[in-house]
Amino acid sequence: MSLSRAPRSHVVSFVRAIAAGALLTVGAAGHAAASGTSKFVPNPPNCQNTSGPFDKWLAAFKQEAASRGIRAQTIQAALGGLQMDQKIIYIDRGQSFFSQPFLDFYAKLATQGRVSSSLNQLKKNAGTFARAEEQFGVPGAVITAFWALESDFGTGMGKRPVMRSLATLAWDCRRGEMFREELHAALRIIDKGDLTPSEMVSSWAGELGQTQFLPTHYDKNAVDFDGDGKRNLFKSPADVIGSTGNFLKNLGWKKGEPWLEEVRVPANMAWENAGLDIKQPRSFWAKQGVTKANGQPLPVDAMPTSLLLLQGRGGPAFLAYENFSMFTEWN
């Protein structure tokens, strides 16, 4: 199928998968774990800072950055005169966006405007998407879904200085360990010449570019897909497309395999087998009476799947395949 003719349903399907992944991971473990850094366990939102004044902490961090090989001019350009932003701490400790039923959350994400914009991007950048799919194995509709939801294709990247946000969160007690590493990664990005501190603007959490990579993800996964010698996810659509494909490939995306499929479930079945942490062959669900959403039978094979009931037995039901874990890892 031509990318320029990718059906609306493909984009909507990926948006639905992202929405499900976001709610599952944030609801289960908090946003720190959901952002791909689950080794860092956040402290409670009411934790008290004990690391001393911000200025003293920042001076010690600069020395640590220098010991890791960051050039002095980079440290000064990125961190010189930096002040803590108390508003960032208030925002971080008061997130409520994910405390919504799945259908309400999904309806706010899969708007007609986003779907139309996604289809336009698939057509406009068809050659780049084709090259990315060949190299990384990730369909263009997957990339555009993330691109649309993260920044509406670059129109909603935020305006806060990234370095101030990252330094504030690194100093704060709630997720300091996690954001300390993000701050180091941001310095490496500047030191490599990909971005300047003034180019690095974001929403409150310090995520970078049109697909809102955390700095550690940017540093590890961003690629120069337009060949200009820099990895710029703020200004280069080609770099955005290639880097998103590379990130998903590195997370473990399996080319040509499904991700999430809406299904019908019978009134009586082995409900104890539902849950993302329980894997069953697709033949198991077929024998339980689960069918495709249109009523057609499921394939009777050994492909591992999980049954997701995001709003209980009365809500929508999905079979999640191995590629669905990429959506939870991203979020």
Side-chain angles (χ1 to χ4, degrees):
M1 178 183 297
S2 167
L3 281 170
S4 63
R5 297 180 182 177
R8 181 183 189 275
S9 61
H10 280 203
V11 176
V12 172
S13 175
F14 288 121
V15 172
R16 176 163 283 202
I18 295 169
L23 283 179
L24 281 169
T25 50
V26 175
H31 193 58
S35 60
T37 52
S38 55
K39 65 180 179 179
F40 299 114
V41 179
N43 288 317
N46 61 351
C47 65
Q48 299 296 313
N49 287 310
T50 59
S51 54
F54 178 80
D55 290 347
K56 182 178 179 181
W57 175 91
L58 185 61
F61 180 87
K62 290 178 182 178
Q63 293 180 350
E64 182 176 294
S67 72
R68 294 193 183 190
I70 301 298
R71 294 176 297 166
Q73 55 266 44
T74 297
I75 295 172
Q76 179 58 33
L79 302 178
L82 208 62
Q83 298 294 317
M84 187 268 289
D85 188 344
Q86 185 64 47
K87 291 182 180 179
I88 297 295
I89 295 175
Y90 292 149
I91 295 170
D92 181 49
R93 299 190 185 193
Q95 297 181 71
S96 61
F97 184 62
F98 296 97
S99 301
Q100 304 176 52
F102 169 73
L103 289 177
D104 292 347
F105 184 58
Y106 165 71
K108 293 177 181 179
L109 297 183
T111 64
Q112 179 57 51
R114 279 178 169 161
V115 173
S116 296
S117 295
S118 295
L119 294 173
N120 288 337
Q121 289 291 342
L122 285 167
K123 182 177 181 180
K124 180 180 178 180
N125 298 290
T128 305
F129 279 116
R131 184 159 57 97
E133 183 166 5
E134 180 180 0
Q135 186 168 339
F136 306 115
V138 183
V142 178
I143 295 171
T144 53
F146 282 110
W147 196 359
L149 294 182
E150 291 291 359
S151 74
D152 284 319
F153 302 103
T155 63
M157 292 186 287
K159 298 181 179 179
R160 295 179 182 272
V162 164
M163 303 308 292
R164 184 170 67 188
S165 294
L166 292 176
T168 297
L169 293 167
W171 170 78
D172 186 39
C173 60
R174 194 171 93 81
R175 295 191 287 172
E177 184 182 3
M178 168 187 166
F179 278 100
R180 191 183 197 94
E181 293 308 313
E182 298 301 334
L183 186 55
H184 277 299
L187 287 174
R188 290 195 297 271
I189 293 166
I190 296 169
D191 213 41
K192 292 174 181 177
D194 290 320
L195 299 170
T196 65
S198 62
E199 289 178 308
M200 297 169 74
V201 295
S202 178
S203 60
W204 65 272
E207 293 162 315
L208 298 170
Q210 296 188 28
T211 42
Q212 295 288 278
F213 282 13
L214 286 167
T216 51
H217 296 162
Y218 195 120
D219 187 43
K220 179 180 178 181
N221 300 287
V223 296
D224 173 21
F225 217 52
D226 63 9
D228 70 349
K230 295 184 178 182
R231 305 175 302 165
N232 193 323
L233 305 191
F234 285 87
K235 298 179 181 179
S236 171
D239 287 1
V240 170
I241 293 168
S243 298
T244 304
N246 188 47
F247 184 22
L248 289 167
K249 177 185 176 182
N250 289 340
L251 287 175
W253 183 272
K254 296 184 178 181
K255 182 178 181 179
E257 293 194 7
W259 52 96
L260 190 72
E261 178 181 15
E262 189 164 6
V263 294
R264 292 181 186 177
V265 294
N268 297 302
M269 59 175 293
W271 298 108
E272 66 273 12
N273 286 283
L276 190 60
D277 58 338
I278 300 174
K279 302 287 185 184
Q280 298 285 2
R282 194 156 46 179
S283 59
F284 174 87
W285 302 115
K287 292 177 182 179
Q288 290 284 318
V290 178
T291 68
K292 292 178 176 289
N294 61 7
Q296 293 182 354
L298 291 172
V300 181
D301 58 27
M303 181 169 283
T305 58
S306 299
L307 179 65
L308 300 185
L309 304 173
L310 295 172
Q311 290 186 201
R313 299 180 188 182
F318 302 91
L319 286 185
Y321 297 89
E322 290 186 335
N323 272 343
F324 181 67
S325 64
M326 304 312 106
F327 294 93
T328 61
E329 284 295 320
W330 177 290
N331 285 293

